């Protein structure tokens, strides 16, 4: 029999709170990626010397690691949702969003790396102990600023106060653990528990749920100021290094510009749920941005299917994972995002460069039927392969640096390999969709 607390809607409110932090983890991951993609890679880009270029590469590595850890936080939140009767939730608003959208008092935006974007990241990762004292809300609905750690503290409170047997009604079959992510083929004999600091694990009771919440908070959001290697700590180190470099540049009269002049909040088309985006108008960058959004949309669809685990066999789950977790993220998202960071964004403006829009389309929702979902995945992979090939060919005839043409060519070949890996079809002619017969 349900407790009075659960009958009063506690579960619904808990699921709502978990969906809110899932949005935040998803959103922050993309914001870190965008800032990382904006950082220059070589002194010949201008604005930095060899020593500074090495420091900037370290910053990029840290931001990419933070993005990866946010993805792992999101995975734990999705496991928490499944454990209490929710479903995998990957929706989020488009960029930019005003301060009022979440109770953090912080804009959600895609911006290139700068002192300003660093301050925004620090406000996301602010330890609760450092939040300035505030007056309690006066009127109903009046906002009081919260930290991400305090949002998780609300979740922790429910976990602590509701009976285990009533709260944890979900199945561990719809949860993802470290082995499923890092070792899908089961090739390691020993337990796989290390890799990125916070590893996914199944949640089935109060103890495992509290462990998940505490790990997320300790690694970044809401950690104490002295927490070694927390997100806040790492961002503060980057801030100190950036400040020192800017002060030295001002003292010596040199220029220090670590980031490319990427647009804030780029978009292919204005989104209904966001205001203030900058539309990419240069044709080649627009083509690349549309290609990027198509791949990001496919990634979301596949992750929804993977985390919800509706009907797939173990072999079918591995097929999805072989595409979604690493190939699409590392062989498509990163190279194309970095190519976009160097392409002119606006017609008639050679200064501003584009960036990945990460636009979230309305149709990105779980496809419940297995056969339908897998057919859609194949169709989208075919489309992605054709478009990646077309973009690489267009870039060959554009006034772009040879290294960008080379990366686009590799990316196109990788996307075709990803399609063939998923579909098992080695004889499809991607130019027209017809089968190629041997002999």
């Amino acid at each position: 029999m349900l407790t009075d607390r659960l009958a009063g809607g506690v579960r619904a409110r808990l699921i709502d709170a978990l969906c809110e932090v899932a949005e935040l983890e998803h959103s922050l991951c993309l914001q870190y990626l965008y800032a990382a993609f904006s950082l220059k890679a070589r002194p010949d880009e201008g604005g930095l010397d060899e020593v500074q270029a090495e420091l900037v590469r370290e910053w990029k590595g840290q931001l990419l690691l933070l993005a990866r850890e946010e993805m792992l936080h999101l995975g734990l939140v999705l496991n928490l949702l499944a454990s209490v009767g929710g479903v995998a939730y990957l929706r989020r608003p488009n960029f930019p969003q005003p301060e009022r959208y979440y109770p953090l008092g912080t804009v959600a935006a895609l911006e290139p790396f700068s002192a300003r974007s660093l301050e925004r990241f620090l406000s996301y990762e602010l330890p609760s102990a450092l939040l300035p004292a505030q007056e309690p809300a006066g009127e109903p609905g009046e906002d009081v600023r919260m930290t991400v750690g305090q949002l998780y503290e609300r979740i922790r409170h429910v976990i602590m106060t509701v009976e285990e047997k009533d709260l944890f009604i979900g199945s561990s079959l719809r949860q993802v653990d470290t082995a499923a992510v890092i070792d899908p083929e089961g090739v390691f004999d020993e337990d796989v528990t290390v890799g990125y600091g916070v590893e996914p694990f199944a949640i089935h009771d109060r103890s495992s749920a509290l462990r998940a919440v505490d790990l997320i908070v300790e690694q970044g959001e809401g950690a104490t100021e002295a927490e070694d290697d927390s997100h806040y700590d790492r961002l503060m180190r980057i801030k100190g290094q950036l400040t020192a470099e800017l002060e030295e540049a001002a003292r010596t009269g040199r220029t220090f510009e670590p980031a490319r002049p990427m647009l804030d909040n780029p978009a292919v088309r204005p989104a209904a749920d966001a205001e203030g985006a900058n539309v990419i108008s240069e044709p080649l960058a627009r083509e690349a941005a549309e290609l990027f959004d198509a791949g990001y949309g496919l990634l979301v669809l596949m992750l929804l299917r993977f985390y919800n685990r509706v009907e797939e066999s173990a072999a079918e789950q591995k097929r999805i994972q072989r595409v979604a977790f690493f190939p699409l993220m590392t062989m498509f998202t990163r190279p194309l995002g970095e190519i976009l960071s160097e392409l002119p964004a606006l017609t008639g403006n050679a200064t501003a460069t584009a960036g990945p829009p990460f636009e979230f389309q309305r149709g990105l929702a779980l496809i419940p039927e297995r056969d339908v979902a897998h057919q859609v995945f194949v169709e989208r992979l075919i489309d992605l392969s054709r478009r990646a090939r077309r973009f690489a060919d267009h870039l060959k005839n554009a006034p772009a640096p040879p290294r960008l043409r080379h990366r686009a060519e590799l990316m196109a070949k990788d996307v075709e390999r990803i399609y063939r890996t998923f579909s098992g079809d080695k004889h499809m002619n991607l130019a027209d969709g017809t089968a190629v017969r041997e002999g």
Side-chain angles (χ1 to χ4, degrees), residues 301 305 308-312 316 320 365-377:
L301 285 176
R305 189 78 199 179
N308 278 293
R309 295 169 174 252
V310 184
E311 294 177 317
E312 274 81 7
E316 288 169 330
I320 295 175
L366 175 69
I367 303 171
E369 300 87 2
R370 178 188 58 193
D371 293 344
V372 174
H374 284 250
Q375 181 175 332
V376 169
F377 296 160

Side-chain angles (χ1 to χ4, degrees), residues 399-431:
R403 55 185 162 72
L404 290 190
R405 298 176 194 166
H406 179 65
R407 289 200 79 182
E409 180 66 26
L410 289 178
M411 183 266 297
K413 291 178 178 177
D414 284 336
V415 173
E416 183 170 343
R417 277 194 290 268
I418 292 169
Y419 154 71
R420 297 193 190 284
T421 296
F422 184 81
S423 68
D425 188 348
K426 299 175 182 171
H427 309 300
M428 177 67 76
N429 184 343
L430 293 177

Side-chain angles (χ1 to χ4, degrees), residues 185-197:
E185 308 300 329
V187 297
F188 296 112
D189 293 331
E190 68 273 12
D191 181 33
V192 184
T193 56
V194 295
Y196 306 119

Side-chain angles (χ1 to χ4, degrees), residues 59-275:
W59 294 347
K60 180 171 186 173
Q62 283 296 318
L63 290 172
L64 289 173
L65 181 58
L66 291 176
R68 182 179 293 171
E69 289 170 351
E70 296 299 342
M71 278 296 294
L72 292 168
H73 294 178
L74 175 57
L76 279 174
V77 172
L78 298 184
N79 281 358
L80 275 164
L81 270 167
S83 75
V84 299
V87 295
Y89 180 83
L90 291 177
R91 292 201 63 81
R92 60 165 185 81
N94 278 299
F95 298 106
Q97 287 298 326
E99 297 96 327
R100 66 179 181 275
Y101 193 86
Y102 297 110
L104 307 178
T106 302
V107 171
L110 297 177
E111 296 176 346
F113 177 91
S114 67
R116 185 180 75 169
S117 62
L118 262 182
E119 287 298 333
R120 189 164 50 78
F121 293 148
L122 284 165
S123 69
Y124 270 110
E125 308 285 11
L126 182 71
S128 298
L130 299 183
L131 184 67
Q134 315 173 78
E135 293 296 326
E139 300 296 328
E142 184 177 333
D143 292 336
V144 172
R145 184 186 174 190
M146 300 177 68
T147 66
V148 176
Q150 288 171 332
L151 295 180
Y152 277 105
E153 187 58 34
R154 295 188 309 183
I155 293 166
R156 196 179 198 282
H157 175 74
V158 176
I159 294 169
M160 288 290 294
T161 55
V162 176
E163 288 284 343
E164 270 186 323
K165 61 182 177 60
D166 293 330
L167 185 58
F168 297 99
I169 63 173
S171 170
S172 61
L173 296 177
R174 289 198 297 109
Q175 299 185 45
V176 175
D177 62 12
T178 297
V181 175
I182 298 175
D183 185 27
E185 308 300 329
V187 297
F188 296 112
D189 293 331
E190 68 273 12
D191 181 33
V192 184
T193 56
V194 295
Y196 306 119
V198 170
E199 309 297 345
F201 54 85
I203 295 166
H204 53 84
D205 59 11
R206 179 175 291 145
S207 175
S208 53
L210 292 176
R211 179 184 167 216
V213 170
D214 291 344
L215 280 172
I216 293 171
V217 172
E218 287 166 9
Q219 188 176 66
E221 298 84 348
T224 63
E225 185 179 12
E227 186 76 37
D228 290 338
D229 210 32
S230 68
H231 290 191
Y232 184 82
D233 179 61
R234 280 179 269 172
L235 289 167
M236 285 297 292
R237 287 200 295 268
I238 294 174
K239 178 183 176 180
Q241 292 166 340
L242 174 62
T243 300
E245 289 295 334
L246 291 172
E247 290 176 349
E248 178 65 12
R251 186 184 66 80
T252 59
R254 294 185 296 108
T255 299
F256 178 60
E257 296 175 347
R260 300 173 185 127
M262 286 165 59
L263 291 178
D264 290 349
N265 306 301
V268 174
R269 58 191 60 82
D273 60 347
E275 294 183 4

